[in-house]
Every structure is written in structure tokens, then in C-alpha cells.
């Protein structure tokens, strides 16, 4: 089966600066939902930009959806949802914004309209199609970005901090939406409860390297590992862990 992401010896660096990430090796299988965690500045967004072909790899091999990434070459099979919705939404209305990508693929107008309607429906935004994008709430903007990417029918979606700045209800709606998708999802997040709900596997990056790569419960539940990299085991998982001290306050 073709891996959705396949990197070997990958070094991610901004021009003229030492590598942010170095010697990365991992693959993502089709349909996997993988969380990418690590402290601020660890290189999560930079890695996504490299996978999307925006930031050239400084060394190593990068393949996404079965093809070598060529910097500057847009691959419609890969959808990147930016951390800041404002970086992504720019058309006057929501429907126009979602149509922008598919229209650029050279699809017929009927096909474009079909894809826009489908993506808006999946994201629960059909009633807002004609709304100016600057009049959408934070949660609606986030889902609008996802709709714009979905309309391209990517096989791999890279979501950078998708729940940042969302209120509880918008966050739940987003998690439900993502959980129902069959695309391969690679999700960077500080929201470890979202990662726990959504992802079966987690990659932890810190100080240039992958520090852990394994089942979500194993990585997030390893309190010592998490603490060593400035992270905290989510409360939902800590409650499930066996008590550390016999008869301690944490005993069920
Ligand atoms: N556009 C850029 N130009 C130069 N350096 C950048 C740029 N974006 C991020 N960096 C640097 O790359 C490093 C990793 O940042 P980033 O990938 O944003 O980390 P994270 O997403 O994990 O918080 C940081 O040191 C940051 O300053
Ligand atoms: Mg980031």
C-alpha cells in the first residue's frame, strides 16, 4: 500500500539557519490519524510546510501520497489547513472561497459547484454559503478553511493547531467533523484532549528530533516522557492510569 507520508533522513530548516528538525524517519499509512505534538518552536508548522512543498527539505527524502515532494509544486492530493484562518480565507464570500481551489484545478463549473455544496454540507456551513468570510465566527472560519481544503478532495490533510482559539462547542463540532473523515489526518496540536479523542498514534518532537512515536495512550500516558518535553498527560488519561503509590490519593 502506498504510504501517505514517507520521510527518510529528513532535515527541516529555514534558509540560513540550523535545522529545526533533523534526521526524521517515519511513515503514515492511508487512513491513519496521527497527532504531532511538541513545545512551541519545536518545528511542527515547519514540518507541515515541508510536507506541503512550501519549505524545501534541507536534506533527506520526502514523499507524500506516493510522490516525491517538489518544492513550489502544488500537489492537490495534500491539503494544508493553516493555523490562522485569516492566512487562508480571502474571497468575499464563503462559497467563493471554497470554490477557489477546485476552480483552479480547471474543473467544470458544475463540478466546482457540486464540490462546494458537498464541502459546505460536510462542515455544517451550507446555510452560510453567501456570508462574507469576515462575518464568520472563529469556529465557522476554522470549518470554512477545512471546507476549502476538502473541496480539493485531498487524500492527506495536514491540520495545524485546528482547535486553537475555539470555544467548547466549536471545538466539539470540529472534533466530530474530523472524526468522521476518511482522509489520512496529520494534526499538530497543543490540545492533547483533541489528540486523545481523534488520533490513534502520536509523534512527539522536541529539540530537533522525534522523541516518541507510538499509540496515543502510550505516548500521552507516559507522564515522565511528557514532562521531559514540556507536556502534560491529559487529565482524562491520567485518571485511567494505575495509581503510582499504593493506597495513594489517586486510587479508584
Ligand atoms: N517563516 C520563518 N522564517 C524563519 N524561521 C521560522 C519561520 N517560521 C518558523 N521559523 C522558526 O522555526 C522554528 C520552528 O517553528 P515552528 O515550525 O513554527 O514551530 P511550532 O509549530 O512547533 O511551534 C522556530 O525557531 C521558528 O522561529
Ligand atoms: Mg506551529
Amino acid at each position: 500500500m502506498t504510504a501517505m507520508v514517507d520521510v527518510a533522513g529528513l532535515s527541516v530548516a529555514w534558509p540560513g539557519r540550523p535545522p529545526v528538525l533533523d534526521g526524521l524517519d517515519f511513515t503514515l499509512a492511508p487512513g491513519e490519524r496521527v497527532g504531532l505534538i511538541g513545545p512551541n518552536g519545536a518545528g511542527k508548522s515547519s514540518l507541515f510546510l515541508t510536507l506541503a512543498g512550501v519549505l524545501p527539505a534541507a536534506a533527506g527524502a520526502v514523499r507524500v501520497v506516493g510522490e516525491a515532494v517538489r518544492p513550489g509544486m502544488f500537489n492537490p492530493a495534500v491539503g494544508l489547513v493553516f493555523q490562522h484562518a485569516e492566512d487562508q480565507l480571502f474571497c468575499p464570500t464563503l462559497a467563493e472561497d471554497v470554490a477557489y481551489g477546485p476552480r483552479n484545478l480547471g474543473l467544470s463549473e458544475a463540478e466546482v459547484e457540486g464540490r462546494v455544496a458537498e464541502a459546505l454540507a460536510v462542515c455544517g456551513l451550507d446555510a452560510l454559503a453567501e456570508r462574507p468570510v469576515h462575518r464568520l465566527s472563529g469556529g465557522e472560519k476554522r470549518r470554512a478553511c477545512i471546507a476549502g481544503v476538502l473541496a480539493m478532495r485531498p487524500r492527506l490533510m495536514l491540520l495545524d493547531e485546528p482547535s486553537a482559539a475555539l470555544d467548547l462547542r466549536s471545538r466539539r463540532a470540529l472534533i466530530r467533523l474530523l472524526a468522521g473523515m476518511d482522509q489520512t489526518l496529520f494534526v499538530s496540536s497543543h490540545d492533547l484532549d483533541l489528540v486523545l479523542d481523534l488520533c490513534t498514534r502520536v509523534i512527539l518532537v522536541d529539540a530537533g528530533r522525534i522523541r516518541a512515536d507510538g499509540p496515543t495512550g502510550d505516548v500521552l500516558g507516559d507522564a515522565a516522557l511528557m514532562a521531559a518535553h514540556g507536556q502534560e498527560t491529559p487529565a482524562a488519561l491520567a485518571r485511567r492510569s494505575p495509581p503510582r503509590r499504593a493506597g495513594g490519593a489517586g486510587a479508584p
Side-chain angles (χ1 to χ4, degrees):
M1 213 175 340
T2 308
M4 287 294 112
V5 175
D6 186 354
V7 307
L10 171 64
S11 179
V12 174
W14 290 92
R17 304 194 38 189
V20 177
L21 289 165
D22 204 18
L24 301 190
D25 296 290
F26 65 91
T27 61
L28 304 192
E32 259 196 307
R33 294 208 287 255
V34 181
L36 178 65
I37 66 169
N40 272 334
K44 304 178 295 294
S45 298
S46 302
L47 174 60
F48 280 0
L49 291 175
T50 296
L51 296 178
V54 177
L55 175 64
V62 199
R63 297 177 69 79
V64 291
V65 197
E67 279 180 38
V69 172
R70 285 176 298 163
M73 294 295 290
F74 175 67
N75 182 346
V78 182
L80 172 61
V81 179
F82 287 83
Q83 177 170 351
H84 302 288
E86 288 72 19
D87 291 343
Q88 196 161 333
L89 303 172
F90 63 95
C91 293
T93 69
L94 175 58
E96 285 172 82
D97 210 283
V98 175
Y100 181 84
R103 197 165 277 140
N104 271 341
L105 291 178
L107 302 171
S108 72
E109 212 35 42
E111 172 80 352
V112 170
E113 275 172 31
R115 286 196 182 198
V116 170
E118 180 193 75
L120 290 178
V122 167
C123 295
L125 295 169
D126 11 13
L128 303 177
E130 299 311 320
R131 179 82 55 95
V133 291
H134 65 270
R135 293 258 175 84
L136 298 171
S137 72
E140 288 161 357
K141 279 185 185 161
R142 176 73 52 204
R143 283 184 283 136
C145 292
I146 293 173
V149 168
L150 274 181
M152 303 293 286
R153 306 238 171 108
R155 295 177 63 198
L156 167 68
M157 287 185 69
L158 308 170
L159 294 127
D160 201 357
E161 307 273 359
S163 66
L166 293 191
D167 65 22
L168 279 178
R169 188 180 294 167
S170 311
R171 183 179 163 278
R172 291 297 340 160
L174 175 76
I175 292 175
R176 264 198 309 278
L177 165 64
L178 296 177
M181 298 202 322
D182 50 14
Q183 278 89 354
T184 306
L185 300 183
F186 199 13
V187 186
S188 96
S189 194
H190 287 293
D191 179 350
L192 300 183
D193 288 303
L194 173 142
V195 172
L196 188 58
D197 274 359
L198 194 63
C199 301
T200 56
R201 173 180 162 200
V202 170
I203 296 177
L204 164 63
V205 289
D206 188 16
R209 305 249 170 209
I210 292 179
R211 303 296 168 175
D213 178 354
T216 302
D218 292 2
V219 176
L220 299 190
D222 186 337
L225 171 79
M226 294 290 279
H229 299 288
Q231 312 289 301
E232 209 169 75
T233 293
L237 203 53
R239 280 198 295 276
R240 270 185 249 153
S241 306
R244 290 192 177 270
R245 281 169 283 137

